Amino acid sequence: MTTATVGKKNPKYKWEVLALLWVAYLLNQADRQVFNVVLPLIREDLGLSDVAIGSIATVFNLFYALLVPIGGLVGDRFSRKWIVTGSILFWSVATMFTGLCNGFVMLVLMRSVATGGGEAFFGPANYSLLAQYHDKTRAFAMSIHQTAYYIGIIISGYAAGYIGQLWGWRSAFYVFGAIGVVHGIVMAVRLKDKKEPAAVAAAEAAEPKPRLMEGFRMVFTTPTALILTICFSGLIFVLTGYLTWMPTYLFENFGMDLAGAGFHSMFYTHLFAFVGVLLAGRLSDKLGSLHPAWRMAMQGIGLLVAVPFIVLMGNSATLWVIYIGFAGFGFARAFFDANTYTVLYDVIPPRYHSSASGVMIMTGFAIGAMAPLVLGAMKQVVGLSSGISMLAIVWLVCGVVMLLGAKYFYMKDYNKIRHEQ
């Protein structure tokens, strides 16, 4: 079966694509979270300060943000199958080499330059390829795909801590990196590019290839896409701060061992996010068919509902209350996650999907990159509890802005794209 005919001869292949990309995304998030889980061991072994540890995560996200627009441009110009496959192989090898680091500079180079550089090319091509295969089932497929994020963090939250306690923090990087290499080989064999119908392909071939700045122009001149990008940045700021410091928060404040802190800090949030994103995906497809702007409104409502839970998880001395905060935080944020790329692709022409994704991801992670450093500095001055509570303000503002965007801009941009097509 050739690449050109695989979709016609096997209509179920789009679900295999989802499965392949699901595992890749799981490993993508697991590899990121390994560092956060074994962070106390790295800090002790290498004698690093809280600010130094926070700055490693910050530089990672900044370098990732710098390269991801290029990754988006490449995803619109070349084979998305090979971009995605090459990315997972690159970052998995870099993850393994992270275990060989012996100081701050090496950690910055391996986590930021190597791992961040590899992952920057994955996201835009990954989402664009999935969107190509799933049209009528797009929101649901994106929601299922998003569950890989939650499961990957839960798995790495426990497994990395457990491996780190048994064999040291370096072994955690070796194990997760090796698994990624194996899956990259599987993807090289099984994953196929989506071939468009001959008429569509001919029309696309006649048009000039997207250029780097066109992705920026599409995002920053489309009000809905711009609002989504700003609020996506707020989402990433809060999530990056939470993922980086919450295991350490439980480890230091409640005397948990490393595996316990890694597990409990991630499990309740992402278990309820798993449930929430599947519900949100189905609801988004139903409400979106009635009125597309409901997708963006769902995102704003999700952020606002999460606000009191953020305050709760940062301001309680009782663990079960903190766990309730984790659960509510995860469930509510899933309504944003389920709609992010569906909303973006609703208001951006298909030929710019990968480039626009790259611009949105770049902006989000450039701003989100500051969270680990900000919380690391606040930890030394006012304590981590106050820093975590501060994150609620970010989502409060973003939630209100998303609702305003859904009311005043979404349908104008949505209808404009359909008129041009």
Side-chain angles (χ1 to χ4, degrees):
M1 186 180 298
T2 65
T3 300
T5 61
V6 65
K8 293 182 179 179
K9 290 187 177 181
N10 185 8
K12 294 182 179 179
Y13 178 70
K14 68 179 183 179
W15 299 108
E16 182 179 347
V17 171
L18 174 59
L20 290 167
L21 296 177
W22 188 92
V23 175
Y25 191 39
L26 180 148
L27 293 170
N28 172 268
Q29 296 305 314
D31 281 3
R32 286 192 192 186
Q33 190 60 14
V34 168
F35 175 80
N36 300 330
V37 173
V38 299
L39 185 152
L41 297 180
I42 296 175
R43 181 180 57 187
E44 181 180 355
D45 185 32
L46 302 182
L48 302 177
S49 68
D50 290 327
V51 173
I53 286 291
S55 66
I56 294 171
T58 292
V59 174
F60 166 90
N61 285 296
L62 285 174
F63 194 80
Y64 176 84
L66 180 67
L67 288 183
V68 79
I70 300 174
L73 178 68
V74 170
D76 280 331
R77 285 174 169 258
F78 302 104
S79 166
R80 287 167 180 165
K81 172 236 174 106
W82 288 113
I83 294 169
V84 169
T85 301
S87 294
I88 187 173
L89 290 171
F90 188 91
W91 90 59
S92 296
V93 171
T95 297
M96 296 176 70
F97 272 90
T98 304
L100 302 175
C101 294
N102 57 8
F104 175 78
V105 174
M106 284 296 294
L107 279 172
V108 169
L109 288 175
M110 296 312 303
R111 292 303 292 167
S112 305
V113 179
T115 311
E119 292 183 11
F121 287 81
F122 173 76
N126 162 60
Y127 286 111
S128 299
L129 185 58
L130 184 60
Q132 278 186 302
Y133 275 100
H134 291 268
D135 183 10
K136 295 180 180 179
T137 55
R138 183 171 296 171
F140 183 57
M142 291 287 185
S143 298
I144 294 175
H145 181 267
Q146 183 66 21
T147 64
Y149 172 97
Y150 310 137
I151 295 176
I153 288 177
I154 290 172
I155 289 174
S156 62
Y158 180 77
Y162 185 75
I163 293 170
Q165 287 179 170
L166 285 182
W167 302 305
W169 64 269
R170 300 177 189 276
S171 297
F173 290 103
Y174 300 149
V175 171
F176 279 91
I179 295 172
V181 170
V182 172
H183 185 63
I185 295 171
V186 172
M187 290 180 66
V189 175
R190 291 300 307 167
L191 189 62
K192 309 291 183 183
D193 279 310
K194 174 73 183 297
K195 294 298 182 180
E196 301 293 348
V200 176
E204 290 182 350
E207 295 180 349
K209 293 290 186 181
R211 290 173 290 185
L212 180 62
M213 295 310 297
E214 286 182 301
F216 286 88
R217 178 178 62 82
M218 293 304 303
V219 170
F220 291 114
T221 60
T222 305
T224 300
L226 177 59
I227 290 171
L228 176 66
T229 298
I230 292 170
C231 294
F232 177 77
S233 302
L235 178 89
I236 297 300
F237 184 91
V238 172
L239 294 181
T240 303
Y242 164 81
L243 292 172
T244 302
W245 285 109
M246 191 54 71
T248 300
Y249 179 70
L250 295 185
F251 178 78
E252 293 182 347
N253 288 38
F254 294 92
M256 291 186 181
D257 61 25
L258 203 60
F263 175 77
H264 289 291
S265 63
M266 298 298 132
F267 176 73
Y268 306 101
T269 295
H270 296 97
L271 173 65
F272 279 82
F274 181 99
V275 175
V277 79
L278 294 178
L279 173 63
R282 283 294 192 186
L283 187 61
S284 176
D285 279 336
K286 290 183 178 180
L287 293 178
S289 65
L290 299 174
H291 198 287
W294 266 109
R295 302 186 196 275
M296 193 174 193
M298 285 174 61
Q299 292 182 287
I301 293 169
L303 294 181
L304 293 176
V305 171
V307 167
F309 291 102
I310 297 174
V311 176
L312 193 65
M313 68 189 191
N315 284 276
S316 177
T318 306
L319 273 174
W320 68 266
V321 176
I322 291 178
Y323 295 159
I324 291 175
F326 288 165
F329 168 68
F331 183 82
R333 61 73 67 96
F335 284 77
F336 193 103
D337 291 342
N339 290 285
T340 301
Y341 292 93
T342 304
V343 168
L344 182 67
Y345 297 161
D346 269 354
V347 298
I348 296 292
R351 67 189 302 261
Y352 297 110
H353 279 180
S354 185
S355 296
S357 299
V359 172
M360 184 181 71
I361 295 170
M362 177 211 72
T363 307
F365 279 86
I367 294 173
M370 303 309 298
L373 187 58
V374 170
L375 290 184
M378 291 185 71
K379 180 176 183 290
Q380 294 182 337
V381 178
V382 297
L384 201 47
S385 177
S386 297
I388 293 170
S389 300
M390 174 271 297
L391 299 176
I393 300 173
V394 178
W395 277 14
L396 176 63
V397 174
C398 289
V400 172
V401 171
M402 289 294 285
L403 290 177
L404 293 174
K407 180 176 177 63
Y408 293 108
F409 298 107
Y410 194 95
M411 291 309 300
K412 293 180 182 178
D413 295 330
Y414 180 88
N415 291 327
K416 180 181 178 182
I417 295 301
R418 272 109 199 113
H419 178 73
E420 291 176 352
Q421 293 176 342

